[in-house]
C-alpha cells in the first residue's frame, strides 16, 4: 500500500471531520441532540461514536495498547467539548499515519491479529483496517450531513475533490 495514499486519505478525513464539526457548531443544543434517522440517532451521539471508533482502532488494535473505555455521549456537553477531546485523538492518529514506514513494524502491510466478536481470531493487514476506519467516517459524516441539512444547516460539498481544491488554494 502506498503511504502517500493513506496520508492523503487521512488528511482528507481530518478536514472532513472538521468541516462537519464546523456545521454542527451552528446547531442549538436541542438540534444537536434531536433524535433522527441516523444509525446512532442524533448528531451528538454520532459524533461521539465517530471519535470513539477512531480512538479504539488506533489505540486498541493498531498500537496494541489493550482495551480502552468506550466514550460516552454523556461526557461531552456540546460540540466544543467533542472537538476538544477529538483534537487529542486526531493528533495521535495523524502522528501514527505520519510515522508509517514502507517496511517493518511501521508498515501498513503488517498483519494485525485480534480476537473479534464471538471469540473469532481475525487477521488483516493494517492498510485494510485503515481504509475501513476512513470509510466508517465517510458513512457517518454522510448521515450527519443529512441530519444537518434537515435542521437547516447543510455542510455543503465535502468530497475529496473539494478538500483538494481547498488544500491547493483553489477555493
Amino acid at each position: 500500500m502506498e503511504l502517500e495514499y493513506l496520508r492523503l486519505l487521512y488528511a482528507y478525513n481530518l478536514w472532513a471531520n472538521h468541516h462537519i464539526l464546523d456545521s454542527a457548531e451552528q446547531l442549538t443544543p436541542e438540534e444537536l441532540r434531536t433524535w433522527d434517522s441516523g444509525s446512532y440517532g442524533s448528531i451528538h451521539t454520532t459524533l461521539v461514536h465517530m471519535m470513539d471508533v477512531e480512538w479504539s482502532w488506533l489505540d486498541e488494535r493498531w498500537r496494541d495498547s489493550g482495551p480502552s473505555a468506550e466514550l460516552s455521549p454523556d461526557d461531552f456537553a456540546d460540540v466544543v467539548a467533542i472537538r476538544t477531546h477529538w483534537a487529542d485523538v486526531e493528533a495521535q492518529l495523524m502522528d501514527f499515519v505520519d510515522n508509517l514506514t514502507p517496511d517493518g513494524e511501521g508498515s501498513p502491510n503488517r498483519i494485525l491479529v485480534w480476537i473479534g466478536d464471538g471469540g473469532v481470531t481475525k487477521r488483516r493487514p493494517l492498510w485494510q483496517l485503515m481504509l475501513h476506519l476512513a470509510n466508517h467516517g465517510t458513512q457517518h459524516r454522510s448521515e450527519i450531513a443529512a441530519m444537518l441539512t434537515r435542521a437547516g444547516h447543510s455542510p455543503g460539498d465535502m468530497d475529496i475533490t473539494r478538500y483538494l481544491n481547498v488544500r491547493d488554494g483553489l477555493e
Side-chain angles (χ1 to χ4, degrees):
M1 174 52 104
E2 290 289 331
L3 297 179
E4 178 183 352
Y5 299 159
L6 286 172
R7 290 188 177 121
L8 173 62
L9 183 61
Y10 274 81
Y12 163 72
N13 188 69
L14 180 74
W15 173 85
N17 285 346
H18 288 198
H19 189 78
I20 212 80
L21 286 165
D22 291 344
S23 294
E25 281 186 331
Q26 299 173 30
L27 299 172
T28 66
E30 294 77 27
E31 289 172 326
L32 181 66
R33 293 176 184 271
T34 296
W35 196 258
D36 202 316
S37 60
S39 60
Y40 281 84
S42 71
I43 293 169
H44 179 260
T45 55
T46 305
L47 287 169
V48 173
H49 168 73
M50 290 171 63
M51 175 175 55
D52 181 55
V53 169
E54 283 189 2
W55 175 249
S56 63
W57 276 99
L58 171 65
D59 203 46
E60 291 177 30
R61 302 243 169 73
W62 303 352
R63 296 193 303 200
D64 197 22
S65 298
S68 58
E70 186 173 340
L71 299 178
S72 170
D74 295 336
D75 295 334
F76 302 94
D78 53 23
V79 177
V80 172
I82 293 168
R83 188 188 289 269
T84 299
H85 187 84
W86 210 339
D88 181 54
V89 173
E90 290 170 342
Q92 292 185 55
L93 182 59
M94 295 309 288
D95 183 63
F96 181 87
V97 171
D98 290 342
N99 285 297
L100 290 171
T101 59
D103 300 302
E105 282 301 305
S107 170
N109 294 314
R110 149 175 80 102
I111 303 298
L112 301 181
V113 180
W114 74 98
I115 306 300
D117 295 336
V120 175
T121 299
K122 297 187 176 185
R123 291 175 173 76
R124 297 269 185 269
L126 173 60
W127 69 265
Q128 288 179 358
L129 300 175
M130 293 182 76
L131 291 179
H132 159 71
L133 183 59
N135 189 58
H136 176 268
T138 298
Q139 173 192 342
H140 290 305
R141 282 190 302 271
S142 296
E143 292 170 343
I144 292 170
M147 290 187 271
L148 285 164
T149 300
R150 284 191 288 277
H153 300 281
S154 173
D157 293 338
M158 54 183 197
D159 57 24
I160 198 162
T161 55
R162 171 98 197 283
Y163 161 71
L164 293 170
N165 288 339
V166 170
R167 182 198 70 179
D168 297 341
L170 302 174
E171 284 189 36

